[in-house]
Amino acid sequence: TLVACFNACNSLDQNILIPNSVTSIARCFESCRTLNQNIQIPSSVTNMYNCFVYCRSLNQNIQIPSGVTNMNGCFMGCNILDQNIQIPSSVNNMRSCFQGCWNLNQNILIPASVTNMYFCFAYCNILTDASVLATGANISNAFTGCDNMQNIYIPASVPKDVSNAFYNSLVNGYVGHTFTASNIFNIL
């Protein structure tokens, strides 16, 4: 594993070669504030827990390998990140994954495999679109503080009480429908 190997390397901004045998890059680049390289993640990686947390300069389209299961806090606090990160169907934990990514304005598709989205997009201030296919996901506070949501889709099979999913946001969610900010008050 490469757990926390470059943690808090504040001047790190070089290409990094991760060996094909590595399975965990948890906390690997945590708080590397100047990192803005397109890190190639090998297919052997399954754990990306807090991998790029607080990489304040990161704005690369990181390719997530198809075997990754844990993205808990992966991009949390990456303030300028605005890339369409493709989430593979192997991922089950996205707790706080994009929390505090203030510039994120991509419709990131959450696959059906995800079971934990707690605070996933919290405080993504300019995020406008979201598509959640995860029918059994914990979406508590998933969109807390998302003040510019316009289009959200949440499957009808998600537990009916999703009221706190949008806590402190300018819109409220509606289960089983796509809604837009212009018609939200007509369908609730």
Side-chain angles (χ1 to χ4, degrees):
T1 69
L2 292 179
V3 174
C5 66
F6 296 107
N7 189 316
C9 290
N10 289 326
S11 60
L12 180 68
D13 192 26
Q14 299 173 15
N15 286 326
I16 305 293
L17 179 62
I18 299 173
N20 288 330
S21 59
V22 172
T23 58
S24 178
I25 53 174
R27 301 182 59 220
C28 186
F29 301 103
E30 182 177 351
S31 297
C32 293
R33 297 181 188 275
T34 60
L35 181 66
N36 192 24
Q37 296 293 322
N38 191 356
I39 306 295
Q40 300 298 313
I41 301 169
S43 61
S44 58
V45 170
T46 59
N47 185 5
M48 293 181 65
Y49 167 78
N50 280 6
C51 182
F52 297 104
V53 68
Y54 302 122
C55 289
R56 305 251 189 241
S57 300
L58 185 66
N59 194 21
Q60 297 291 324
N61 191 355
I62 305 294
Q63 301 298 310
I64 310 298
S66 62
V68 170
T69 58
N70 186 0
M71 291 183 65
N72 182 351
C74 187
F75 296 102
M76 184 171 66
C78 293
N79 303 37
I80 68 169
L81 182 69
D82 187 24
Q83 298 292 325
N84 189 357
I85 307 292
Q86 302 295 312
I87 309 299
S89 61
S90 57
V91 173
N92 58 42
N93 187 353
M94 292 186 67
R95 180 184 178 123
S96 300
C97 186
F98 295 101
Q99 182 178 345
C101 292
W102 303 330
N103 279 337
L104 186 66
N105 194 17
Q106 302 290 327
N107 185 0
I108 295 178
L109 180 67
I110 306 300
S113 59
V114 174
T115 58
N116 188 353
M117 287 182 57
Y118 186 73
F119 276 98
C120 184
F121 294 102
Y123 306 105
C124 292
N125 299 352
I126 66 171
L127 184 68
T128 59
D129 300 292
S131 296
V132 179
L133 300 180
T135 58
N138 171 3
I139 62 171
S140 293
N141 295 297
F143 301 98
T144 291
C146 294
D147 293 338
N148 289 295
M149 293 302 291
Q150 295 175 12
N151 301 296
I152 301 171
Y153 177 76
I154 299 173
S157 53
V158 168
K160 296 296 181 203
D161 184 16
V162 296
S163 57
N164 65 343
F166 301 93
Y167 178 75
N168 202 24
S169 297
L170 294 180
V171 297
N172 290 310
Y174 188 75
V175 177
H177 294 279
T178 300
F179 70 84
T180 63
S182 61
N183 71 7
I184 182 65
F185 298 107
N186 295 329
I187 63 172
L188 290 179

